[in-house]
């Protein structure tokens, strides 16, 4: 493991602040204002990872299982997920996103991408090149 220099630590601090501000602004670019950020995150996890048990979702979302049970119930009442019997364990259920959720996520993704693209239009060609290089690094940090 490489020890960070003082300049690297300053860059980490600057990155943290920038990511937090950008994330906050992105959250305001939602299609459905009735969903909480956690509910949107659960739908995103189901889109990326496929169907899952509530326990698996709780682990992936870093919430307690009872909280996930409430989140799944809320999403189900809005027609965004459905619970189905687990194929191997009759004591459990599997949560699957609905077509309505897939359409809403796609609309949300399109809106957020358009907003970010409009911001990127204000960047110089050099800054755009840096952004293209930074995207995979930020993705890696998000999953470490």
């Amino acid at each position: 493991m490489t020890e960070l220099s003082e300049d690297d630590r300053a860059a980490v601090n600057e990155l943290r602040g920038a990511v937090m501000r950008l994330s906050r602004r992105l959250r305001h670019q939602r299609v459905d204002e009735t969903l909480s950020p956690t509910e949107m995150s659960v739908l995103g996890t189901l889109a990326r990872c496929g169907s899952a048990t509530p326990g698996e979702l709780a682990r992936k979302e870093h919430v307690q299982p009872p909280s996930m049970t409430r989140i799944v119930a809320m999403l189900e009442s809005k027609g965004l997920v459905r619970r189905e019997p687990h194929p191997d364990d009759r004591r459990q259920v599997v949560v699957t996103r609905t077509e309505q959720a897939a359409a809403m996520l796609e609309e949300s993704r399109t809106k957020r991408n358009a907003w970010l693209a409009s911001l990127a239009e204000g960047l110089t060609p050099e800054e755009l090149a840096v952004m293209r290089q930074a995207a995979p690094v930020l993705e890696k940090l998000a999953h470490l």
Side-chain angles (χ1 to χ4, degrees):
M1 190 60 79
T2 305
E3 188 170 325
L4 297 179
S5 69
E6 190 174 321
D7 287 345
D8 290 337
R9 289 183 188 282
V12 164
N13 185 55
E14 193 172 331
L15 175 65
R16 179 200 45 77
V19 167
M20 288 179 66
R21 284 187 299 280
L22 185 59
S23 176
R24 193 170 29 254
R25 292 180 67 196
L26 264 173
R27 277 196 301 270
H28 292 294
Q29 303 300 314
R30 295 190 301 168
V31 171
D32 187 336
E33 295 290 328
T34 66
L35 294 178
S36 72
T38 302
E39 290 167 336
M40 285 294 291
S41 182
V42 169
L43 291 176
T45 296
L46 289 170
R48 278 188 313 282
C49 302
S51 300
T53 66
E56 292 166 340
L57 285 171
R59 281 188 295 282
K60 289 178 181 179
E61 294 296 317
H62 306 284
V63 299
Q64 294 299 313
S67 297
M68 185 54 64
T69 299
R70 286 189 297 277
I71 292 165
V72 168
M74 181 63 69
L75 291 171
E76 186 177 37
S77 74
K78 294 178 180 184
L80 297 171
V81 300
R82 65 180 171 274
R83 290 188 251 204
E84 300 167 336
H86 192 284
D88 302 324
D89 185 348
R90 299 186 72 106
R91 298 169 296 167
Q92 294 195 54
V93 297
V94 175
V95 180
T96 304
R97 71 185 170 124
T98 63
E99 288 301 316
Q100 179 184 346
M104 191 262 310
L105 284 171
E106 181 57 33
E107 185 180 353
S108 180
R109 189 177 303 111
T110 299
K111 181 178 181 180
R112 289 174 177 181
N113 284 347
W115 179 79
L116 276 173
S118 71
L119 292 180
E121 288 173 356
L123 299 177
T124 66
E126 294 80 15
E127 289 169 330
L128 286 168
V130 169
M131 182 184 71
R132 284 190 297 274
Q133 290 178 324
V137 175
L138 293 172
E139 183 67 24
K140 182 177 180 178
L141 285 174
H143 291 94
L144 287 179

